[in-house]
């Protein structure tokens, strides 16, 4: 189920916007992604389902994640 974008096949895609200032000097979009610090995809599709839309992970409660991270970090500091 790999190797082509066709109905019934798996679809994994990562799409990046290249209109940010850091990409402006590159004439090659692939080189821009590799050399200019493309650390966040605008859209990601895994197995034919959108997992990241407009830079946000679908279904992720970021506020809850931050709260859990704070609790875990505090516990680590306390030992």
């Amino acid at each position: 189920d790999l190797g082509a974008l066709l109905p019934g096949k798996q679809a994994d895609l990562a799409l990046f916007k290249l209109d940010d200032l850091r990409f402006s000097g590159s004439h090659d979009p692939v080189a821009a992604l590799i050399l200019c610090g493309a650390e966040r995809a605008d859209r990601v599709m895994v197995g034919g389902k959108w997992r990241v839309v407009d830079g946000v992970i679908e279904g992720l409660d970021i506020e809850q994640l931050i709260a859990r991270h704070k609790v875990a970090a505090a516990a680590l500091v306390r030992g």
Side-chain angles (χ1 to χ4, degrees):
D1 292 336
L2 302 173
L5 292 176
L6 297 169
K9 301 280 187 175
Q10 293 293 320
D12 295 345
L13 303 169
L15 306 175
F16 297 83
K17 289 183 178 179
L18 296 178
D19 57 356
D20 197 31
L21 177 61
R22 66 185 153 178
F23 302 120
S24 65
S26 178
H27 63 281
D28 179 345
V30 175
L33 289 173
I34 295 169
L35 300 173
C36 298
E39 79 280 346
R40 181 178 291 204
D42 182 58
R43 292 187 180 258
V44 176
M45 179 183 280
V46 178
K49 296 181 181 177
W50 289 112
R51 302 298 186 182
V52 175
V53 175
D54 296 330
V56 178
I57 299 171
E58 289 287 295
L60 178 64
D61 183 342
I62 194 73
E63 291 180 15
Q64 180 187 28
L65 181 61
I66 290 170
R68 288 176 50 207
H69 182 251
K70 287 180 181 180
V71 168
L76 183 63
V77 170
R78 286 193 304 271

